[in-house]
Amino acid sequence: MFCLYVELCRSVQNAQPPTTQIAAALFQEICYSNKDQLNAGIIIAGWDKRKGGEVYSIPLGGSLHKQSYAIGGSGSTYIYGYCDANWKDGMNEEEAVAFVKGALAEAIKWDGSSGGVIRMVVLTEKGPDRKIFFPDEDYKGDGK
């Protein structure tokens, strides 16, 4: 934990945000240290200058896993097959948005607790771009 704290302090001193990996490791330390009190999995995603886009997941128990993508929540059990069949490394932004919209539309269709609106944030070097898609529009449009 001390090393993570030092890295966080170093990023503050250099006026740069911590890397996604540092943020994930800090969350992992908190989750693992409190594994008997926490009952949630966490997904950490971000973009930083060193490594670009990264995704980490912390399941129950507090272990840390770097992944190409991560899914969670009640609807996730319905979309593992969809994600395995449709994920491609190196997708551009348009393809990635279509992948997420397709996965969430399937989760919403099969899971009554997954809501009806798709909200997503696209993380790039330019910063976060928030999007929203509605079921009455069949989740089409640019998300603005």
Side-chain angles (χ1 to χ4, degrees):
M1 181 70 172
F2 179 75
C3 293
L4 295 173
Y5 178 75
V6 169
E7 279 296 317
L8 186 59
C9 289
R10 187 176 297 144
S11 70
V12 170
Q13 287 174 340
N14 294 330
Q16 293 191 6
T19 64
T20 306
Q21 182 179 15
I22 297 286
L26 288 169
F27 267 102
Q28 187 269 335
E29 183 67 33
I30 292 166
C31 291
Y32 184 77
S33 296
N34 296 284
K35 65 181 175 251
D36 296 329
Q37 289 86 23
L38 294 175
N39 190 22
I42 296 177
I43 297 171
I44 296 106
W47 189 96
D48 62 68
K49 290 180 182 178
R50 271 196 243 164
K51 295 191 177 179
E54 291 185 298
V55 177
Y56 294 86
S57 68
I58 303 171
L60 293 174
S63 58
L64 180 64
H65 306 273
K66 184 176 180 187
Q67 300 175 277
S68 298
Y69 65 89
I71 58 178
S74 63
S76 66
T77 57
Y78 299 100
I79 63 171
Y80 278 98
Y82 175 92
C83 292
D84 286 344
N86 291 283
W87 173 260
K88 297 182 303 190
D89 284 325
M91 283 189 262
N92 64 34
E93 184 176 325
E94 184 178 329
E95 292 169 322
V97 167
F99 169 76
V100 171
K101 281 179 17 180
L104 292 176
E106 287 297 310
I108 290 166
K109 180 170 72 175
W110 295 107
D111 177 41
S113 298
S114 285
V117 177
I118 295 174
R119 290 180 179 87
M120 73 174 77
V121 179
V122 177
L123 302 171
T124 67
E125 181 178 10
K126 296 178 273 184
D129 180 19
R130 290 166 176 79
K131 298 181 179 291
I132 187 166
F133 302 95
F134 299 97
D136 56 339
E137 299 170 358
D138 202 24
Y139 305 112
K140 295 199 179 357
D142 62 3
K144 301 287 179 194

